[in-house]
Structures are given as structure tokens and as C-alpha cells.
Amino acid sequence: MLLVVATLFMLNLLAGAIDIPAKEVFSALFGGENVKQSWAYIVLESRLPQAITSVLSGSALAVSGLMLQTVFRNPLADPSIFGISSGAGVGVALAVLLYGGTISAWTYSVSGFVAVFIAALIGAMVVIVIIFLFSMIVHNDVMLLVIGIMVGYMSSSIISLLSFFSTEAGVKSYVVWGMGDFSGVSMQQMPIFAFVVVIGIIGSAFLIKPLNQLMLGEHYALNLGVNIKVVRNLMLLLTGVLTAIVTACCGPVSFVGLAVPHIVRLLLPTSDHGILMPATILMGAIVALFCNLLCVLPWGGGMMPLNAVTPVIGAPMVIYIIMRKRN
């Protein structure tokens, strides 16, 4: 899987709307002096951060889907099921559709990417707080899932109202963001993005043991000393942060968190999260890199929206899960 990640990573650097020879790509990566300035800029400031963002985003969404499906014992759970992606969408809609892409507070004002990033994070974290509050009252996992779905519906309703009253330019900007794109993180923003994602994934690794115990059922887990409420809240926090940062930077990427854990379970017939989690992290990177590669249109045609490609992998997987459960 590491070899596949490395191969797809290099293919993402070599493929693009602009045809750049492989030799020039490697020269740009390793600081060659005779590379055309425009080619070096494309490789270092566009393709490289896009490939890194694909690896980190795919891993974050995949590990979030794995934790949700395990804790809530629902094969169709994914990071958007609690309305976290929708909450980020509301934040972006408020910033783009209502405030025209500029957020002001006291004497401070931000616009453009920074405004969208902050708005998406705030929207996602508001939903996480709501889910946390309900988790203290509702102790049934199925009911908590239903509440998350209802929060998502309310968020979609708010977005529809904002779109109706917004300008044509604002609606267009929001629609473009909603299509998904791994090119939303520049090399200057990469350290913050990578730091948050890596910390979230490391935090998820500390839940491997309680996730294995929860596979035996809640009663067995309680007898083994697992504090189910603490584990569930930690999982919600990690899932929320990972989903929020990816959605803020790349838009609401669909199907990766849902499909990847099932692909891993098909390849590795085990329930041990000590194996499943690292494999899911790597498979998430593979799927994201592969989807990003499929988005490249040949002969200078530009890039397709990410969410036009991810359902090609995710939708058949959902159909397979439904048919397998039926049988």
C-alpha cells in the first residue's frame, strides 16, 4: 500500500493540464537550476501541495469513517452523517452568500480563502458542540445518529434560503466550493493543515484498543472497563476536527469516509483495528490520490470537480453493502 501511495503521488506530480516532461518535474522538485520558471511554479506551488492535500484529506476522512462505523455499529456511517460537513457548509454560505466573502469583527477583517476557512471551521465546530450536548442527554447511539441527520437537514435548509436571497456571483462561488477540490491548500497554508490532520490521526490511534473492545458489544466493553461515553465523545471530537479542517479547505468531499473502510475490510479479513486503522489511513490516501488523478482532463482541459469523480467509487460500494446485508 505504501508503494501504491508513492506511485500515485508521483503520477499526480507528473500529470496535469500542462504537459511537463518528467525530467523537468524531478528537476523542479530537487532544485534544478535550468527548469523553466513557469514549470517550476506549477510543480511546486500547484501539483505538490495538491498531492500532499490529497494524501492528508483522504486519510483523515477514511479514519473518521472507520471510527464512526465501529462506534455506532452502522456500516453506512460516514463523517457527514452528523451534519458536520453541512455545518461547515452553512459557515461558508454565511461568509460567501451573506457577507460577500468578507468577515469583519471589531477592527479586524478577513476575506477570500481565510474567510472561507474560518467560517467553515466555526460552522463545523458549532455542530460538534450541538452533538456533544445531545450526547449528554441521549445515550442511545441510533437516536444520536438520527439527531445528526436532522441537524444536517436543517443546515441544508439554511443554505437553500441563503442561496435564494443571494446574488448570482455569490451562488456561483458557493457552488464551486461545494464541488470539492484538493487544490485549496497552498504551500504557505500547508504546515497548519498538515499539523491539524496529523494530530487528529495520532489521536485516533490512541482509540484502537477501546474500538476493538467495542466490537464485542457495549456490555462486554463495559465489563472490560471501557468508558463508552468518553470514547464516543473523543471519537466525535476527533472526527469533527478532521472533517472540519478537510471540508473547510477542500469542500464537502463525498463518499471517501464511507467507502474506504469497507474496501479495507474486503482486502483484509480482520476486525483488529491495530491492522484496520493504518490500512484505512493508507487506503484513504490511495483513493484520494486516484480520484485527484482522474480529475485531470488531458490536453489542457483543466480539472473536473472532485465530487464528480468520488461517487464513481463510493456509490457502487454502498450498493454492494446493501446487497451483502440483504443476502
Side-chain angles (χ1 to χ4, degrees):
M1 293 178 85
L2 282 169
L3 282 173
V4 176
V5 171
T7 302
L8 286 172
F9 191 91
M10 290 309 304
L11 287 175
N12 272 265
L13 296 179
L14 295 170
I18 304 297
D19 187 18
I20 303 175
K23 181 180 177 182
E24 301 298 326
V25 171
F26 285 107
S27 296
L29 286 173
F30 296 107
E33 297 179 358
N34 298 323
V35 187
K36 283 177 63 175
Q37 189 174 358
S38 58
W39 286 354
Y41 181 84
I42 290 171
V43 172
L44 297 176
E45 298 297 329
S46 177
R47 294 185 186 179
L48 181 60
Q50 196 166 342
I52 296 172
T53 303
S54 300
V55 170
L56 293 172
S57 300
S59 300
L61 293 174
V63 78
S64 297
L66 176 66
M67 290 191 294
L68 284 168
Q69 290 168 14
T70 300
V71 172
F72 292 100
R73 307 180 72 83
N74 188 330
L76 296 179
D78 78 326
S80 63
I81 197 165
F82 285 108
I84 298 168
S85 296
S86 298
V90 171
V92 174
L94 287 169
V96 174
L97 302 178
L98 192 61
Y99 295 106
T102 301
I103 301 175
S104 300
W106 296 286
T107 58
Y108 298 98
S109 180
V110 291
S111 60
F113 172 83
V114 177
V116 171
F117 177 74
I118 293 173
L121 278 179
I122 292 173
M125 297 313 292
V126 166
V127 172
I128 293 170
V129 170
I130 292 172
I131 298 298
F132 264 128
L133 293 174
F134 275 112
S135 70
M136 295 177 184
I137 303 169
V138 179
H139 301 290
N140 186 297
D141 290 341
V142 176
M143 291 298 102
L144 198 58
L145 281 170
V146 173
I147 289 169
I149 294 170
M150 293 304 106
V151 171
Y153 277 128
M154 290 194 302
S155 300
S156 299
S157 177
I158 294 170
I159 293 169
S160 298
L161 288 171
L162 290 170
S163 299
F164 181 78
F165 291 106
S166 181
T167 62
E168 183 179 346
V171 173
K172 183 179 179 180
S173 298
Y174 183 78
V175 169
V176 170
W177 174 84
M179 289 180 179
D181 187 6
F182 285 138
S183 63
V185 184
S186 66
M187 286 304 289
Q188 290 73 31
Q189 297 151 349
M190 186 61 67
I192 297 174
F193 179 77
F195 177 78
V196 175
V197 171
V198 170
I199 290 298
I201 291 175
I202 291 172
S204 303
F206 283 100
L207 294 179
I208 287 175
K209 186 176 179 180
L211 287 174
N212 279 338
Q213 292 165 336
L214 281 170
M215 291 292 292
L216 301 172
E218 289 191 3
H219 294 295
Y220 286 102
L222 284 169
N223 290 332
L224 290 171
V226 177
N227 190 326
I228 294 175
K229 188 175 180 181
V230 171
V231 171
R232 185 174 62 181
N233 287 343
L234 280 174
M235 183 276 303
L236 278 175
L237 179 62
L238 290 168
T239 301
V241 170
L242 289 172
T243 306
I245 190 72
V246 173
T247 305
C249 297
C250 308
V253 181
S254 61
F255 282 107
V256 174
L258 172 60
V260 170
H262 292 290
I263 295 173
V264 173
R265 289 190 184 100
L266 288 174
L267 295 174
L268 302 173
T270 178
S271 298
D272 182 6
H273 283 73
I275 300 172
L276 284 179
M277 188 168 286
T280 300
I281 291 168
L282 290 173
M283 184 57 72
I286 290 170
V287 170
L289 285 168
F290 181 66
C291 288
N292 192 60
L293 198 60
L294 291 179
C295 288
V296 177
L297 295 173
W299 307 295
M303 297 283 291
M304 282 193 298
L306 185 63
N307 283 332
V309 174
T310 51
V312 174
I313 296 173
M317 183 56 62
V318 175
I319 295 170
Y320 173 78
I321 295 165
I322 293 171
M323 296 305 295
R324 191 180 182 188
K325 289 291 181 184
R326 186 182 67 87
N327 293 329

